[in-house]
Amino acid sequence: MPTNEMCDECGAPQVEGFTCWEQLGGLIAWEYTDPALHAQHFLVVACYNLQHPAQFSAAALAGLWIGFNDYLDHGVSTATLRQRAARHYAGATRVLRPEAEHQPQLQRWAMTIADVYLPDQPEGVVERLFRWARIIQAYHVAAQA
Ligand SMILES: [Zn+2]
């Protein structure tokens, strides 16, 4: 039975009863058998997080956007991004907002994780992932303009 259940933040529909968070788990599980996808683990998590910003502090989110753009456009390696994040978060900088302050706001996107994690179709997932990332990036660029 199809349902109308959807995420109240990214707007992704449930897929086979999986919430968007569970779809992320499904996508990450694919990484174990798909080295090309595994190599893009940073992008998988970054895309998901950028479509679920309510849990992050403003500073963490700003850092995530910078890393995301550096990765997509400037080929900065995930090792460098990890080091940078470790330095950045080593201090008292708060990464997550307290649960009580989460105020998810529904935003509709041209693509969500439900368009990337197609349970019957693991092939082509990396191409779908990059399309997803570019849509998120284009939105961000438009929002900054
Ligand atoms: Zn969601």
Side-chain angles (χ1 to χ4, degrees):
M1 285 283 286
T3 69
N4 294 321
E5 298 274 347
M6 64 169 196
C7 174
D8 63 6
E9 191 164 16
C10 75
Q14 291 197 359
V15 173
E16 297 184 353
F18 285 10
T19 64
C20 72
W21 173 250
E22 292 164 336
Q23 293 170 46
L24 175 65
L27 203 53
I28 289 171
W30 280 358
E31 292 180 10
Y32 293 100
T33 52
D34 184 341
L37 181 63
H38 185 69
Q40 303 301 333
H41 177 77
F42 168 81
L43 204 54
V44 170
V45 175
C47 285
Y48 185 84
N49 285 341
L50 289 169
Q51 288 194 334
H52 298 85
Q55 61 184 317
F56 297 104
S57 69
L61 210 51
L64 186 56
W65 275 116
I66 292 168
F68 178 76
N69 285 322
D70 280 352
Y71 182 80
L72 274 180
D73 290 346
H74 306 296
V76 174
S77 74
T78 51
T80 301
L81 293 172
R82 261 198 308 274
Q83 280 169 5
R84 203 195 276 170
R87 257 201 320 275
H88 189 71
Y89 300 138
T93 317
R94 218 167 55 176
V95 176
L96 296 178
R97 281 184 206 279
E99 189 94 30
E101 289 178 20
H102 292 191
Q103 290 186 322
Q105 286 186 333
L106 178 63
Q107 186 181 323
R108 302 314 299 260
W109 299 84
M111 259 182 107
T112 67
I113 192 155
D115 301 298
V116 180
Y117 179 66
L118 307 178
D120 302 334
Q121 203 187 317
E123 60 282 358
V125 65
V126 173
E127 289 74 14
R128 295 196 295 274
L129 171 64
F130 273 90
R131 247 190 296 138
W132 188 31
R134 290 298 178 187
I135 282 170
I136 293 169
Q137 188 182 42
Y139 170 83
H140 184 64
V141 169
Q144 300 293 297

